[in-house]
Amino acid sequence: MEKWSLMTITVLLALTVRWTVSLGSYSGAGKPPMYGDYEAQRHWQEVTYNLPIRQWYFNTSDNNLLYWGLDYPPLTAYHSFVCAYIAKLINPDWIALHTSRGYESQPHKLFMRTTVFVADLLVYIPAVILYCFSLKETSTKKKASICALCILLYPGLILIDHGHFQYPLSLGFALWGVLYLSYDWDLLGSVAFCLALNYKQMELYHSLPFFCYLLGKCFKKGLKGKGLVLLTKIAGTVVVCFAVCWLPFCTDMEQIMQVLRRLFPIDRGLFEACMFSSPPPRLANIWCSLSVLIKIKNIVSPQTQLKLSFAVTFLSLLPTCIKLTVQPSLRGFKFALVSCALSFFLFSFQVHEKSILLVSIPVCLIINEIPFMATWFLLVSTFSMLPLLLKDGLLLAYAVTMLAFLSACVASFSIFEKTSPEDLQLKPFSLSLKGHVSWFKSFPKIVRSLFLLSVTLMGILSLMSAAVHPPQRLPDLFPVSVSIISCLHFLLFLVYFNVVILWDSKNSRSQKKIS
């Protein structure tokens, strides 16, 4: 009972923070004609409830795709329909066809916020709790509660889900997939990840680690025996899951192709706006950062952009995927989720600033193993979304949740005492340097200094972005600065995570779990 009492307090605190943030502004509030992501979610409810399924992804007189046209997989559409059904029972005006466009009221805001709250309670939070109890390092009730508290207080997800407005379902399903795989429930893990992928196509960021880990397990068992049986079961499970999710759209090939065109609009190019355009893309990936010096969209065709981004992304994640396939382990799988998602975020095609959450949630899963670096990354990931958060009027929520998260991690994990090569999982790498190992004697001090410099820089830029008017000649100076500084951080983190993965001898041993 005491174990669950501590966890209950943790969950109540996390819920209180979420509800407090949700009382503030949301994306596009009072800003016609397009409003923002809040209106997009409401509009999808309007479309899915009032129109037949065959029209959900097509441009018609009743469904103008230029006005927040549905561009996520079928599971998002089904979820919108369920929310719309409930909304119709409460107030039909909320989802009335055409006339509900841009609808804003306090009761409707309460309804929409509650749907996110319920999604958190039903999918994401239970997965976090069970995951923390499953970890060997958090086998005691206190450690599990502390780990869960830090994960649930991660400000990036709170601010985007309960501030900006977004549902945590795809990340929640992916987390359930990791949890099931940690217990060797491979088929359930496959189902959970298929649900995540069919809710948001951005879950492709995590697809290669899931694929390589499960394939590696099959190889390890032997493809002429149990491994082949497992591979067949997993393949069958995936096919059935996709068939069920896509069944209403399988009436003809044009339906399927139209959905795919909406999910992957290649013609838009690497990103939808260039740096120092209006508005700036506010994106901390390599292409937007490079566009400050080189206007890539002006000199390279969309098809060439696609090939370039694919090649760079593939090469950046290839070593990690090979290592995971050859030496499958749960620990290696979790680190691969981080590395591969970060490669996708930095180098892939059409990335949104919110996509950094696809990297952050896997980082949350290893916060107990590398608390210092995980805390640092999670702070930077939230900072990278600052322009978006300021646009939504979430400055106060951003400042408070960042400070609360940093305080919780410092108090819970004593992160400044966890900066040795061993604590940062860099001991094998340092030993491989042989003659240069002596340099690592001052490594903890260097890392702590860099962390403090980084946090100070983020704090100063946050204050300047909120309070200082930029020069007239450079109106987007602060958003661009945030993006470039964040991108530089992420590139260094990518190198760090790849070093940990490739030099880690522990990945060759299966990690044991205890409940």
Side-chain angles (χ1 to χ4, degrees):
M1 284 297 293
E2 186 181 352
K3 175 173 71 173
W4 290 105
S5 297
L6 284 169
M7 190 58 77
T8 300
I9 295 172
T10 296
V11 172
L12 288 176
L13 178 59
L15 291 177
T16 301
V17 172
R18 282 161 164 73
W19 190 252
T20 302
V21 170
S22 73
L23 296 176
S25 182
Y26 53 82
S27 171
K31 297 177 181 178
M34 293 299 291
Y35 301 93
D37 281 8
Y38 175 95
E39 167 63 9
Q41 297 285 351
R42 188 216 59 77
H43 180 64
W44 295 341
Q45 295 175 19
E46 171 194 345
V47 168
T48 54
Y49 188 85
N50 291 287
L51 301 181
I53 289 181
R54 65 179 179 275
Q55 294 184 23
W56 285 0
Y57 291 91
F58 281 88
N59 193 54
T60 66
S61 58
D62 291 325
N63 185 23
N64 181 7
L65 293 182
L66 295 179
Y67 185 80
W68 298 119
L70 192 59
D71 54 5
Y72 284 122
L75 212 57
T76 291
Y78 304 149
H79 176 232
S80 296
F81 177 81
V82 172
C83 291
Y85 184 84
I86 299 171
K88 178 79 171 180
L89 298 176
I90 301 172
N91 188 342
D93 291 341
W94 293 350
I95 57 164
L97 191 62
H98 302 308
T99 59
S100 64
R101 179 172 293 192
Y103 191 99
E104 292 179 312
S105 70
Q106 282 301 317
H108 184 253
K109 176 184 174 182
L110 177 62
F111 167 76
M112 294 290 281
R113 292 298 198 191
T114 302
T115 60
V116 179
F117 209 69
V118 170
D120 242 344
L121 275 172
L122 294 181
V123 179
Y124 181 74
I125 292 179
V128 170
I129 294 170
L130 293 175
Y131 173 79
C132 291
F133 278 133
S134 74
L135 295 172
K136 181 179 180 180
E137 298 86 350
T138 61
S139 55
T140 65
K141 53 203 172 190
K142 184 177 180 181
K143 288 183 178 179
S145 299
I146 287 173
C147 185
L149 177 64
C150 291
I151 295 176
L152 292 175
L153 286 184
Y154 166 55
L157 192 64
I158 295 174
L159 293 169
I160 293 300
D161 287 353
H162 298 273
H164 176 82
F165 199 89
Q166 181 176 277
Y167 290 100
L169 290 175
S170 63
L171 293 171
F173 288 137
L175 186 49
W176 276 104
V178 175
L179 179 65
Y180 287 137
L181 293 188
S182 70
Y183 285 102
D184 287 326
W185 298 342
D186 298 328
L187 299 186
L188 285 176
S190 301
V191 170
F193 184 69
C194 285
L195 293 177
L197 191 53
N198 278 287
Y199 192 89
K200 280 191 176 179
Q201 65 270 35
M202 284 80 79
E203 279 297 327
L204 285 169
Y205 283 32
H206 300 146
S207 59
L208 282 175
F210 270 90
F211 174 79
C212 292
Y213 176 65
L214 290 172
L215 182 63
K217 288 186 70 173
C218 293
F219 284 153
K220 198 172 182 180
K221 290 176 179 290
L223 285 182
K224 292 184 178 179
K226 293 181 179 180
L228 180 60
V229 174
L230 178 60
L231 183 61
T232 303
K233 289 181 178 178
I234 292 173
T237 299
V238 171
V239 170
V240 170
C241 285
F242 270 81
V244 170
C245 289
W246 285 72
L247 187 61
F249 301 94
C250 293
T251 53
D252 61 74
M253 185 56 66
E254 181 57 26
Q255 278 280 340
I256 297 175
M257 294 307 299
Q258 176 63 11
V259 177
L260 291 176
R261 282 192 289 267
R262 292 298 299 164
L263 300 188
F264 305 103
I266 295 173
D267 293 338
R268 292 181 188 174
L270 278 173
F271 40 83
E272 296 185 37
C274 290
M275 286 293 181
F276 292 100
S277 63
S278 181
R282 308 178 301 273
L283 179 58
N285 84 338
I286 194 68
W287 306 119
C288 282
S289 297
L290 283 176
S291 70
V292 174
L293 301 174
I294 306 171
K295 300 302 181 184
I296 300 174
K297 289 186 71 172
N298 296 340
I299 60 177
V300 180
S301 68
Q303 291 297 328
T304 305
Q305 293 172 27
L306 177 61
K307 294 175 183 177
L308 176 65
S309 65
F310 175 81
V312 177
T313 305
F314 178 76
L315 290 175
S316 68
L317 53 78
L318 185 61
T320 295
C321 291
I322 292 175
K323 177 75 179 286
L324 183 61
T325 305
V326 175
Q327 296 179 348
S329 71
L330 183 61
R331 185 173 183 278
F333 167 59
K334 290 188 287 187
F335 273 86
L337 285 171
V338 176
S339 177
C340 290
L342 189 51
S343 290
F344 270 103
F345 178 81
L346 285 170
F347 306 118
S348 67
F349 203 74
Q350 291 180 4
V351 177
H352 193 282
E353 59 262 53
K354 294 182 295 184
S355 298
I356 194 60
L357 297 177
L358 292 157
V359 190
S360 300
I361 297 307
V363 171
C364 287
L365 302 182
I366 55 176
I367 195 170
N368 61 299
E369 296 189 50
I370 48 169
F372 180 83
M373 295 300 285
T375 301
W376 192 354
F377 180 91
L378 294 172
L379 290 173
V380 175
S381 68
T382 306
F383 169 75
S384 73
M385 298 184 287
L386 178 62
L388 177 65
L389 300 174
L390 290 177
K391 182 182 176 183
D392 292 338
L394 296 169
L395 174 62
L396 180 60
Y398 163 81
V400 173
T401 54
M402 285 279 273
L403 289 172
F405 174 73
L406 177 58
S407 301
C409 291
V410 171
S412 302
F413 293 109
S414 302
I415 60 173
F416 293 112
E417 299 173 10
K418 305 287 181 63
T419 57
S420 68
E422 294 89 341
D423 291 323
L424 300 182
Q425 312 288 325
L426 292 174
K427 188 65 175 179
F429 176 69
S430 67
L431 293 175
S432 69
L433 296 180
K434 295 182 180 179
H436 302 282
V437 174
S438 58
W439 178 81
F440 273 77
K441 291 180 180 179
S442 58
F443 186 75
K445 185 177 180 180
I446 294 173
V447 172
R448 285 194 296 268
S449 298
L450 289 174
F451 175 84
L452 293 174
L453 177 63
S454 171
V455 171
T456 302
L457 183 60
M458 288 189 287
I460 292 173
L461 254 180
S462 296
L463 287 173
M464 293 181 69
S465 298
V468 178
H469 292 288
Q472 288 187 346
R473 290 178 56 250
L474 300 172
D476 301 318
L477 175 63
F478 295 136
V480 169
S481 299
V482 169
S483 298
I484 292 176
I485 289 171
S486 300
C487 181
L488 291 174
H489 276 83
F490 292 146
L491 285 170
L492 292 175
F493 278 116
L494 180 64
V495 172
Y496 164 74
F497 285 119
N498 274 281
V499 167
V500 171
I501 292 168
L502 298 177
W503 268 266
D504 189 7
S505 59
K506 293 180 181 179
N507 281 356
S508 62
R509 302 189 298 269
S510 296
Q511 187 183 33
K512 302 299 181 181
K513 297 83 57 183
I514 58 175
S515 59

